[in-house]
Amino acid sequence: QVQLVESGGGLVQAGGSPRLSCAASRSIFSSNLMGWYRQAPGRQRELVATITSGGSTNYADSVKGRFTISRDNAKNTVFLQMNSLNPEDTAVYYCNARNYVGVRYDYWGQGTQVTVSS
């Protein structure tokens, strides 16, 4: 069954370094692109970071140098290591799997809330 399950969110103090996890079903972990997006209240959902099946990464300017996306192929899991969090990082973080070569698809997890307090 196709699914993406995020975990690791919660309340964290400013400057903290939580790590989010996205456990993906085997069938979609080999997607062309896995990524993290976030949506804060009153804002559009925005790209945070992506990683290709080949391991290439891309980051939003707002998180570059602070966040790191990685993957564990043996566990079918993608991670988002977040460092030096600010209250502005507060958002629901969503895991995404997208395929654009061959059969196209775009799957989303349910999201995990990250709240950064001072």
Side-chain angles (χ1 to χ4, degrees):
Q1 190 174 54
V2 175
Q3 65 175 10
L4 297 166
V5 181
E6 302 96 333
S7 62
L11 180 64
V12 60
Q13 292 188 1
S17 302
R19 186 178 72 163
L20 304 184
S21 298
C22 174
S25 57
R26 179 78 174 181
S27 61
I28 62 172
F29 188 71
S30 59
S31 297
N32 296 145
L33 200 68
M34 300 289 296
W36 288 96
Y37 293 72
R38 67 185 182 185
Q39 186 168 22
R43 295 183 179 272
Q44 293 289 113
R45 187 175 299 186
E46 64 178 356
L47 184 148
V48 176
T50 60
I51 185 166
T52 69
S53 59
S56 297
T57 58
N58 185 58
Y59 298 92
D61 288 341
S62 60
V63 306
K64 193 173 299 181
R66 296 191 298 127
F67 292 9
T68 302
I69 189 171
S70 62
R71 59 194 295 158
D72 185 334
N73 292 337
K75 298 185 181 298
N76 299 328
T77 302
V78 62
F79 303 97
L80 184 69
Q81 177 65 59
M82 303 186 292
N83 298 321
S84 302
L85 287 185
N86 304 310
E88 291 73 25
D89 295 313
T90 295
V92 178
Y93 285 72
Y94 297 91
C95 186
N96 171 256
R98 182 159 63 93
N99 212 56
Y100 46 82
V101 176
V103 178
R104 301 190 68 181
Y105 57 75
D106 192 357
Y107 296 115
W108 295 88
Q110 293 300 115
T112 183
Q113 176 72 45
V114 175
T115 302
V116 184
S117 63
S118 300

